[in-house]
Amino acid sequence: MHELLARAMQGVDPDAPGAFWHVFLNLWAMVPWAALFWWNLLFVAVGALLGWWRGRPWEGIAWAAVLGPIGWIVLLLRRRGRPRVAPPPLPR
């Protein structure tokens, strides 16, 4: 924990008015953005596959993009939509 705090406080004067933003930006610089991007892409691809299997690919993509793997569970637990009942054709 001390190492993480030291990396976040690197080059920061705690008494300076913008110290919070400097620490905040230091923390954001430590986030592994490339790995997060590829994992999110994988989650969305699996969500699209599950959505296609359930007959709702866009819903699968949306749930996976917002919630990641938890979106897969949401998609699988939702009931399938009932087929629309069309009215009978009009007589000619």
Side-chain angles (χ1 to χ4, degrees):
M1 189 68 181
H2 292 292
E3 181 183 329
L4 178 63
L5 186 58
R7 287 177 59 193
M9 293 295 292
Q10 182 178 2
V12 177
D13 177 19
D15 295 327
F20 167 79
W21 292 110
H22 200 95
V23 171
F24 181 74
L25 292 175
N26 283 348
L27 289 172
W28 273 74
M30 289 189 276
V31 174
W33 293 109
L36 289 175
F37 172 77
W38 291 112
W39 277 108
N40 195 27
L41 198 63
L42 175 72
F43 296 152
V44 169
V46 172
L49 182 67
L50 289 174
W52 173 77
W53 177 62
R54 299 286 287 185
R56 299 179 301 230
W58 292 110
E59 187 177 344
I61 290 171
W63 281 115
V66 172
L67 297 176
I70 298 171
W72 305 341
I73 298 169
V74 171
L75 182 68
L76 292 174
L77 292 179
R78 286 180 50 100
R79 294 179 45 187
R80 289 183 189 236
R82 294 182 182 171
R84 295 184 182 182
V85 179
L90 296 173
R92 293 185 184 236

